[in-house]
Amino acid sequence: MNVSTPVHMPSLGGATGWLGSEPLGQDDLRGRVVLVDFWTLTCINWLRTAPYIRAWSRAYRDDGLVVIGVHTPEFSFEHDIGLVRRATEEREIDYPVAADNDYAVWSAFANHYWPALYFVDRDGVIRDQHFGEGRYEESERLIQRLLGVERDLVSVQGAGVEAEADWDNLRTPETYLGYARGQRPDLAGEWTIGPESVVLKQAGGSITRRFHARDAHLVLSRGAGETIPFRVLLDGQAPGPSHGVDVHEDGKGVLDDGRMYQLVRQHDAVRERTLEITFLKPGAEAYVFTFG
């Protein structure tokens, strides 16, 4: 989308559902500044932007800003509106979210990225766009200009999975496990390799990944089965204080909902480590490793 010439915000009419609001159309948004945020619940890049979007929504709502999240799923299990609803609750999203399971809104915006921000003025014209993380100060100043306000920027500090990445020590790229995009880590046990994911057929299967980053995450789902306990080892030992938010110090965790799981957050000097995750029941679906 070229925003050097006036481009009006496309319709949201292709949304397959709404959370936190009745469907919003052009008439509902006329005269308001709109920030459209494309996201998907397992995306670590979006998760690290979420505290900023929340803060802007709350800080400028009374000045005329409307934030609209558009949830366009990357993986098939993310079509589950129950999972999207739970993600909005966990992330304390209190602005409207359009479910875009058919990619109709995504296509109307000609969007290609998660996260993606579109800044729309009071006349409904897209004035700017930004893809990925960062550029927070410039984005907030733009919101202020569109609203006609000027004041100190909001103070934002992400915590847990929303914490900013340790960019200086992030040397390992995301790793997709399915054959459609796969660079494959080591698999042990009986796995079925599909286009999106690998699925464990028998208990005791494991995935091993060498990485250099402060944080290690893995997108997991259990399909329609029961919860699945798992164990994480870091260099062959329980992670101790380097456990992620979804793992105890002894390395134990539970796969419940389909989402991104933080397995490791190194508590001391970041160095290259070996992560091994073992699932104690069959049915685990693993999609992508991401790092921070």
Side-chain angles (χ1 to χ4, degrees):
M1 181 181 298
N2 182 0
V3 295
S4 60
T5 56
V7 175
H8 281 80
M9 173 180 158
S11 169
L12 303 172
T16 53
W18 285 80
L19 297 174
S21 172
E22 294 297 315
L24 295 175
Q26 308 289 36
D27 290 343
D28 304 295
L29 301 173
R30 185 168 290 115
R32 311 293 294 274
V33 172
V34 180
L35 177 62
V36 178
D37 174 32
F38 282 89
W39 64 289
T40 189
L41 66 93
T42 60
C43 177
I44 183 58
N45 307 101
W46 171 75
L47 285 164
R48 294 192 292 239
T49 67
Y52 293 88
I53 309 301
R54 280 197 310 268
W56 296 339
S57 176
R58 294 168 185 174
Y60 299 105
R61 185 173 296 158
D62 292 342
D63 299 298
L65 176 68
V66 177
V67 176
I68 299 174
V70 179
H71 183 273
T72 311
E74 179 176 10
F75 301 118
S76 55
F77 72 86
E78 294 178 290
H79 287 74
D80 184 341
I81 193 66
L83 292 179
V84 181
R85 182 177 291 107
R86 183 165 298 182
T88 64
E89 293 170 354
E90 291 177 348
R91 303 269 74 84
E92 298 181 355
I93 293 173
D94 56 1
Y95 49 81
V97 171
D100 187 31
N101 280 355
D102 294 338
Y103 274 63
V105 181
W106 176 281
S107 298
F109 276 77
N111 186 54
H112 300 283
Y113 307 99
W114 301 277
L117 294 175
Y118 293 86
F119 301 79
V120 183
D121 68 16
R122 295 185 189 274
D123 295 322
V125 174
I126 296 177
R127 297 288 295 276
D128 198 9
Q129 58 194 18
H130 177 68
F131 307 124
E133 301 176 59
R135 210 197 73 164
Y136 300 116
E137 179 176 346
E138 182 180 342
S139 292
E140 187 174 354
R141 290 296 185 198
L142 173 59
I143 291 169
Q144 290 188 356
R145 288 197 300 274
L146 295 178
L147 291 169
V149 303
E150 184 176 354
R151 53 178 180 260
D152 291 341
L153 301 180
V154 297
S155 177
V156 177
Q157 186 68 45
V161 297
E162 295 182 346
E164 184 177 7
D166 181 358
W167 297 110
D168 291 339
N169 289 297
L170 177 49
R171 301 177 190 173
T172 303
E174 63 186 6
T175 305
Y176 286 86
L177 278 65
Y179 65 72
R181 304 167 70 176
Q183 315 98 344
R184 197 148 304 115
D186 293 333
L187 302 176
E190 187 175 342
W191 296 85
T192 297
I193 301 172
E196 282 192 327
S197 65
V198 294
V199 182
L200 182 62
K201 308 308 291 184
Q202 288 186 349
S206 65
I207 308 173
T208 302
R209 180 71 168 96
R210 190 83 171 154
F211 73 97
H212 191 296
R214 183 193 66 200
D215 304 336
H217 318 102
L218 181 57
V219 174
L220 296 167
S221 174
R222 59 183 172 91
E226 300 176 346
T227 59
I228 300 171
F230 61 79
R231 183 186 71 248
V232 168
L233 297 179
L234 195 58
D235 294 335
Q237 304 292 327
S242 289
H243 68 96
V245 297
D246 294 301
V247 177
H248 298 293
E249 288 194 7
D250 62 5
K252 293 180 180 178
V254 176
L255 195 179
D256 43 30
D257 291 324
R259 58 184 177 88
M260 188 202 77
Y261 288 75
Q262 186 183 83
L263 305 180
V264 175
R265 168 159 287 169
Q266 296 197 58
H267 80 290
D268 49 11
V270 176
R271 62 189 188 277
E272 191 169 70
R273 312 293 294 269
T274 297
L275 163 69
E276 181 183 15
I277 180 169
T278 302
F279 300 93
L280 307 184
K281 291 182 181 179
E285 303 172 0
Y287 290 79
V288 59
F289 280 104
T290 59
F291 304 94

